[in-house]
Amino acid sequence: ETGVTQSPTHLIKTRGQQVTLRCSSQSGHNTVSWYQQALGQGPQFIFQYYREEENGRGNFPPRFSGLQFPNYSSELNVNALELDDSALYLCASSSRDRVEKLFFGSGTQLSVL
Amino acid sequence: AQTVTQSQPEMSVQEAETVTLSCTYDTSESDYYLFWYKQPPSRQMILVIRQEAYKQQNATENRFSVNFQKAAKSFSLKISDSQLGDAAMYFCAYRSARNNDMRFGAGTRLTVKP
């Protein structure tokens, strides 16, 4: 059974650029959630995907968008990067009937200069 | 809106001793889940223990147990027989049964002294 994997592990971008982060969910999991964790803070919910559709969203602007693919892997896209977007981005997967049991990846550390 | 508060930014415990991490939350809902997650330097969030709000019995997982006080909206984590590998950031989290938004506290950094 494979765990949740995220790529890349680290990324440096400049303000105004666009970025795509990737996540492969744990085997058997059909739901993927994304979180932003700023330095010294707890993770904040960005959105969740189930069956390739957004299924809940936190307080993030539309320039944060996502995709889920038929194999349940997922992407997080951020347009028009701002300095405050610098953070650890965590992906978590779960099964639909046990959404309270999340399995997290190790995250992508994004630095915006 | 639901909020989660961890009032202890840092805690320290001697190896083999017991430590309690505090967490309070604010909600108007009656059906929800509470969690404690551990985040070591590897950054991966690891589920330590989970509590369903409808269950009166406190959850226990080996050396980890919680004190869930629903009326007081308190959810503390007790770590018994602390081990060096327990050193990490610990996050308390709340999730409503009605939506997918999991709210985390700001975390408590636990240091274990040999």
Side-chain angles (χ1 to χ4, degrees):
Chain A
E1 186 180 76
T2 58
V4 179
T5 57
Q6 293 187 243
S7 62
T9 55
H10 295 83
L11 200 54
I12 299 174
K13 290 287 190 177
T14 56
R15 193 171 50 183
Q17 284 189 312
Q18 179 266 343
V19 69
T20 297
L21 310 182
R22 294 177 175 83
C23 172
S24 293
S25 59
Q26 184 159 314
S27 176
H29 287 178
N30 54 18
T31 302
V32 175
S33 305
W34 286 91
Y35 292 80
Q36 180 196 66
Q37 186 177 15
L39 188 63
Q41 298 181 22
Q44 281 194 294
F45 175 70
I46 302 175
F47 45 54
Q48 182 184 87
Y49 275 81
Y50 170 65
R51 287 189 174 177
E52 304 175 51
E53 291 193 1
E54 189 178 288
N55 184 38
R57 187 179 185 95
N59 189 26
F60 281 81
R63 60 188 185 85
F64 285 78
S65 63
L67 284 173
Q68 186 182 30
F69 300 99
N71 66 354
Y72 305 129
S73 65
S74 177
E75 288 182 354
L76 164 65
N77 299 291
V78 187
N79 294 323
L81 283 167
E82 300 176 0
L83 298 180
D84 285 349
D85 295 334
S86 296
L88 178 68
Y89 288 84
L90 294 165
C91 170
S93 73
S94 59
S95 61
R96 180 61 176 174
D97 57 342
R98 295 296 302 275
V99 292
E100 77 281 5
K101 196 165 186 178
L102 297 179
F103 292 83
F104 283 83
S106 296
T108 294
Q109 184 67 53
L110 173 64
S111 298
V112 182
L113 306 179
Chain B
Q2 298 87 5
T3 57
V4 178
T5 302
Q6 294 180 249
S7 59
Q8 306 155 315
E10 296 185 356
M11 290 286 284
S12 179
V13 63
Q14 205 72 31
E15 193 176 5
E17 297 295 310
T18 296
V19 65
T20 297
L21 308 184
S22 301
C23 173
T24 58
Y25 58 96
D26 184 26
T27 184
S28 59
E29 299 180 339
S30 59
D31 193 11
Y32 51 86
Y33 302 94
L34 295 165
F35 308 84
W36 278 97
Y37 279 90
K38 169 185 177 181
Q39 188 177 42
S42 67
R43 308 180 312 192
Q44 184 178 26
M45 301 284 279
I46 301 166
L47 178 64
V48 174
I49 199 164
R50 181 178 79 250
Q51 175 82 42
E52 290 88 347
Y54 65 85
K55 290 187 177 179
Q56 293 186 338
Q57 186 173 8
N58 289 323
T60 300
E61 289 285 344
N62 301 314
R63 299 183 295 108
F64 299 88
S65 61
V66 298
N67 184 5
F68 173 45
Q69 301 290 327
K70 191 171 184 179
K73 296 178 184 175
S74 170
F75 183 62
S76 61
L77 174 70
K78 185 172 81 172
I79 305 174
S80 304
D81 186 25
S82 295
Q83 301 176 359
L84 296 178
D86 294 334
M89 285 292 292
Y90 284 81
F91 291 95
C92 178
Y94 167 102
R95 182 184 168 275
S96 166
R98 295 190 300 112
N99 60 47
N100 305 315
D101 184 351
M102 184 174 283
R103 302 291 177 101
F104 287 83
T108 297
R109 180 174 300 279
L110 178 66
T111 302
V112 181
K113 297 179 180 179

